[in-house]
Amino acid sequence: MKFSAISDFSYTKLKLTILGCYAATPRTFTNPTSQVLEIKNHVFLVDCAEGTQTQLRKNKVKFSRINHIFISHLHGDHFYGLIGLVSTFMLLNRKNDLHIYGPKGIKEIITLQLRLSNSWTSYGLYFHELDSDRSEIIYEDEKVSVATIPLRHRVYTNGFLFSEKIGLRKLNLDAAQEYGIDKLYYRNIVLGKDITLDSGEVISNERVTFEAEKPKSYAYCSDTIYNESIIPIVSGADVMYHESTFLDSEEKLAVQTMHSTARQAAAIAHKADVGRLLLGHYSTRYENIELFQKEAETIFPNVSLADDGKVFEF
């Protein structure tokens, strides 16, 4: 999904890079869960399994741009790469503060490793530990907010809802030129200001701008059993990533391990009326992940498959 800009002031895309999206253990040709979300000039790392550093380099993601890391839960295939990344940041003489959001206990795990290896960071390292069973905003600035999506798994787990805020209006260049408005005032127009012409006529902002883009949102639903309680939280999201560890033929195993099937992920997408469903966290028992898409599309039509190194732009 790609769009073209209307004015001289470019819009921002929501870009998702899949670093890894397979369940359990790493393999030579697949990686466990980690992904990078670029939204409103932020670069967020979501989960950090083994191999994340290598995948970041392969996909040419600049380490220095990652200032916020979100960890869904404390199973190894979602955070065992974190201590290595924290240490590498230090070796690269990082200066920026790093904020880590994750379940209660993550601070103890990481600081213990740093202490025993005498490897304290030279940059600010801040932990934001989570223990609420209700959705809450855990990060917010003037451009974006991040809220938790309480999930049901074998350990305390959250997904994350990344939401853009309404941005600036878009300059209607043809209208501005028709009124003879100097380019020096274009920025003021985008900021919502009216313009007074030399004649004294006031041109209202609405006459020389288009409405701001519709804010986009991305819902990341990590390991979870089928759970309809998340539907009100993810409702209407432009894109939802939902784990699909198993196919419907292994539904009993999904219940036992507190995971979801592709069909169940599609049912959540359908009931939440999301724009697009991304499937991932596939069990390595399956040789062909295309089967996940076929199964999900029997319930929900707009399905894409995550895969290592795949990039989505919305």
Side-chain angles (χ1 to χ4, degrees):
M1 299 169 64
K2 293 187 177 181
F3 306 88
S4 59
I6 299 176
S7 73
D8 291 340
F9 298 95
S10 62
Y11 73 102
T12 58
K13 292 180 287 188
L14 188 155
K15 179 179 178 182
L16 181 70
T17 301
I18 306 298
L19 304 179
C21 63
Y22 288 79
T25 59
R27 298 183 292 181
T28 57
F29 54 95
T30 63
N31 294 273
T33 302
S34 185
Q35 52 187 245
V36 172
L37 178 67
E38 298 181 44
I39 178 173
K40 289 285 188 178
N41 296 319
H42 292 288
V43 177
F44 294 139
L45 180 64
V46 188
D47 276 339
C48 187
E50 290 179 74
T52 294
Q53 292 188 67
T54 302
Q55 289 297 93
L56 286 169
R57 293 188 184 279
K58 279 186 178 180
N59 289 277
K60 296 180 170 57
V61 179
K62 290 185 178 180
F63 286 16
S64 60
R65 294 194 65 197
I66 298 172
N67 297 318
H68 301 271
I69 300 176
F70 298 86
I71 301 297
S72 62
H73 63 294
L74 297 182
H75 278 163
D77 59 334
H78 291 260
F79 92 105
Y80 276 178
L82 183 57
I83 182 60
L85 186 60
V86 167
S87 297
T88 294
F89 283 162
M90 179 183 62
L91 295 174
L92 295 176
N93 297 314
R94 179 187 177 94
K95 302 300 181 184
N96 294 350
D97 293 341
L98 179 65
H99 294 264
I100 297 173
Y101 308 78
K104 188 175 182 179
I106 194 168
K107 179 178 181 179
E108 180 182 0
I109 293 171
I110 299 301
T111 54
L112 176 64
Q113 292 173 299
L114 293 174
R115 179 171 62 83
L116 293 180
S117 62
N118 193 26
S119 302
W120 295 112
T121 63
S122 54
Y123 55 88
L125 182 60
Y126 299 94
F127 293 90
H128 306 265
E129 294 194 308
L130 310 173
D131 58 9
S132 175
D133 59 0
R134 295 185 179 184
S135 179
E136 58 181 351
I137 293 178
I138 56 175
Y139 174 80
E140 185 174 25
D141 62 16
E142 70 280 0
K143 294 182 178 180
V144 67
S145 67
V146 184
T148 56
I149 306 171
L151 301 174
R152 293 179 57 203
H153 191 43
R154 300 192 304 276
V155 296
Y156 176 77
T157 305
N158 283 300
F160 303 102
L161 177 64
F162 301 86
S163 303
E164 293 181 343
K165 295 187 177 180
I166 296 177
L168 301 175
R169 293 180 67 87
K170 302 298 177 182
L171 176 70
N172 182 336
L173 186 57
D174 290 339
Q177 291 176 342
E178 182 179 338
Y179 285 112
I181 298 173
D182 193 285
K183 291 182 180 180
L184 292 173
Y185 298 104
Y186 285 2
R187 185 62 183 172
N188 284 341
I189 291 174
V190 171
L191 292 174
K193 297 180 181 180
D194 297 336
I195 298 297
T196 302
L197 302 179
D198 292 340
S199 64
E201 180 184 1
V202 177
I203 305 300
S204 65
N205 187 264
E206 290 77 11
R207 292 162 68 182
V208 288
T209 59
F210 298 105
E211 287 194 13
E213 296 170 21
K214 178 182 176 292
K216 295 178 283 293
S217 59
Y218 172 65
Y220 171 80
C221 299
S222 175
D223 298 18
T224 183
I225 198 168
Y226 179 76
N227 179 15
E228 292 189 357
S229 69
I230 72 171
I231 291 173
I233 303 172
V234 303
S235 178
D238 291 274
V239 188
M240 180 180 73
Y241 173 96
H242 195 291
E243 76 119 289
S244 55
T245 307
F246 299 106
L247 294 174
D248 200 48
S249 54
E250 281 74 49
E251 183 178 0
K252 289 184 179 179
L253 186 56
V255 172
Q256 292 173 10
T257 58
M258 300 193 76
H259 282 293
S260 297
T261 67
R263 185 185 298 273
Q264 290 171 336
I268 294 293
H270 173 71
K271 293 179 180 181
D273 193 27
V274 303
R276 177 161 294 276
L277 170 65
L278 298 185
L279 297 177
H281 202 267
Y282 319 109
S283 169
T284 54
R285 70 181 56 219
Y286 304 105
E287 295 183 2
N288 182 9
I289 63 172
E290 299 293 332
L291 298 174
F292 290 83
Q293 183 168 5
K294 290 180 180 179
E295 181 174 291
E297 286 179 339
T298 64
I299 304 294
F300 184 77
N302 299 323
V303 179
S304 296
L305 295 175
D307 206 355
D308 294 9
K310 201 166 186 178
V311 177
F312 298 90
E313 291 185 354
F314 306 94

